[in-house]
Amino acid sequence: LFGVAGKVGTLDALMALSDELAKLDTFTESVMVKVYTYMATALEENDQQKLPDYTKANGKDLRTYCNSFSWDVAKFPTKLSIKEIHDIIAKNLTKIEKDFKTKSNTYNTLRSNLAQHEKKESGSLVTKNLGPLVKEEDFVIASEYLVTVCVVVHKHGYKEWEGSYWKLADFVVPGSSVKILEEGEHAIYTVTMFRKTLEAFKNNARERKFVVRDFQYSKEKIEQQKNDVNNLLKAKNKAYVPLIKWLKGNFSESFVNWVHVKALRLFTESVLRYGLPATFYDISARTKQKVRKENSEKSYTRCTLIWTKVRGLKDQIWVIYRGYL
């Protein structure tokens, strides 16, 4: 049966192993689907068309691999007992899952941090990072008493702002307001005042629906932000190729292990149903979902049926193994 010739052991042990193999089947499939799903979301847009090439088993497309499946004696020596082979596969998948969590968490952190920076560069002037948008000459720099602030004004409030900004607090410098940027429905105005009046200015501006941005010009800070983004982008790009290579290799590994679990389950169920010697024929088939139940009912009395749907794969495959006397 698929070339499986592992040591069977006692009937009681085989019955207990049947339950363990069912659990291992579910676990192996879940790891495989996690790897596939993450790869599908992690691939850059220009690499999305390569997904079918990255989701193969031992270099074969999944359907071909299933249709031409034979037991991998080098990976899972048949001189071992079925329990020992079970343990090897469980160990393999546990390691893949552990490594997957580490690698995906690391890459997710890079993507999340980069996305936060990119979010600050988008949106309206009310929220976006002002560093790349302003110039040093727009501000009074290194003054002990004076400070320049940026105020976001809606386009319907331009006239009101220009006619009243110096009245929003004492010690606002008349004529100091300059529109330095207009984008969408808002504009950024700079205005200069004495530091001691800044809080009063903020409160009064808020009442008029003018948004005083919490921004102080710092050339060093702006350069640091640029460097942070560049470093994150470099780190993400550096991690990308090894990550995809790992996902590609371990999708194949998990799929191969999963199909071997299917073969083990079929062998075990066949022995439990029909006894020894294990003189069975095996068939792998792909059937349409709507006729699967009908086919299963017709063949159930003559075979052991182990079926599954590879959940999460775009090219969904029904893998059915039947063992006949």
Side-chain angles (χ1 to χ4, degrees), residues 34-290:
K34 282 179 188 176
V35 172
Y36 171 86
T37 303
Y38 190 80
M39 178 159 49
T41 58
L43 280 172
E44 300 288 353
E45 186 175 351
N46 58 344
D47 286 335
Q48 282 292 326
Q49 73 276 10
K50 299 177 183 177
L51 184 60
D53 292 328
Y54 290 168
T55 50
K56 292 185 175 182
N58 285 351
K60 302 176 182 179
D61 68 79
L62 306 185
R63 194 175 304 172
T64 300
Y65 178 81
C66 291
N67 289 340
S68 61
F69 174 76
S70 62
W71 189 264
D72 190 335
V73 179
K75 243 182 216 302
F76 312 108
T78 52
K79 65 181 180 180
L80 300 177
S81 69
I82 295 177
K83 178 65 168 66
E84 288 173 318
I85 296 173
H86 164 282
D87 293 345
I88 289 173
I89 295 176
K91 184 178 179 180
N92 290 345
L93 270 294
T94 298
K95 185 178 186 307
I96 290 174
E97 184 185 45
K98 181 179 178 182
D99 291 346
F100 171 75
K101 287 179 179 178
T102 300
K103 293 178 182 295
S104 61
N105 286 341
T106 300
Y107 194 69
N108 286 344
T109 299
L110 288 172
R111 287 202 298 182
S112 177
N113 290 341
L114 189 59
Q116 288 179 14
H117 281 282
E118 291 174 345
K119 185 177 180 180
K120 292 177 183 178
E121 305 300 326
S122 61
S124 72
L125 294 175
V126 176
T127 58
K128 73 190 308 181
N129 180 24
L130 299 181
L133 306 177
V134 299
K135 301 176 182 178
E136 186 173 355
E137 54 264 33
D138 296 327
F139 298 83
V140 174
I141 305 295
S143 171
E144 183 179 353
Y145 300 105
L146 295 176
V147 62
T148 301
V149 297
C150 293
V151 183
V152 181
V153 180
H154 192 275
K155 64 181 181 181
H156 297 313
Y158 292 169
K159 186 175 181 181
E160 179 184 1
W161 166 262
E162 292 168 358
S164 64
Y165 71 88
W166 69 88
K167 303 175 184 178
L168 295 175
D170 295 332
F171 307 110
V172 176
V173 179
S176 65
S177 179
V178 179
K179 185 195 290 184
I180 62 172
L181 177 66
E182 188 170 7
E183 186 177 285
E185 296 188 341
H186 297 88
I188 291 284
Y189 285 84
T190 56
V191 60
T192 302
M193 66 197 70
F194 279 81
R195 290 183 182 276
K196 65 181 182 180
T197 199
L198 180 56
E199 289 305 316
F201 180 86
K202 287 181 178 179
N203 293 333
N204 292 329
R206 190 182 304 114
E207 291 178 0
R208 301 283 190 91
K209 300 188 183 303
F210 303 137
V211 181
V212 180
R213 292 293 306 272
D214 185 16
F215 176 82
Q216 296 294 316
Y217 184 87
S218 168
K219 185 175 182 179
E220 293 76 15
K221 186 175 181 180
I222 292 172
E223 287 299 319
Q224 184 61 52
Q225 289 175 340
K226 289 180 181 178
N227 291 335
D228 289 344
V229 173
N230 289 335
N231 290 337
L232 280 172
L233 189 58
K234 288 178 182 178
K236 177 177 174 288
N237 291 339
K238 185 178 179 180
Y240 176 72
V241 173
L243 173 70
I244 298 302
K245 183 178 180 181
W246 185 92
L247 291 169
K248 177 184 175 182
N250 283 276
F251 172 81
S252 174
E253 182 71 13
S254 58
F255 189 90
V256 167
N257 277 263
W258 178 69
V259 176
H260 278 77
V261 173
K262 291 293 183 187
L264 279 178
R265 288 191 67 194
L266 178 57
F267 180 82
T268 302
E269 296 298 327
S270 297
V271 171
L272 289 173
R273 179 178 294 272
Y274 303 120
L276 292 172
T279 52
F280 311 120
Y281 294 100
D282 56 81
I283 294 175
S284 63
R286 182 178 186 271
T287 183
K288 294 180 180 179
Q289 181 178 357
K290 61 183 179 181

Side-chain angles (χ1 to χ4, degrees), residues 300-320:
Y300 185 75
T301 57
R302 296 179 290 117
C303 69
T304 298
L305 177 64
I306 307 272
W307 67 268
T308 190
K309 177 183 179 183
V310 186
R311 294 191 298 271
L313 302 189
K314 288 183 179 179
D315 183 18
Q316 293 178 340
I317 295 176
W318 293 92
V319 182
I320 301 179

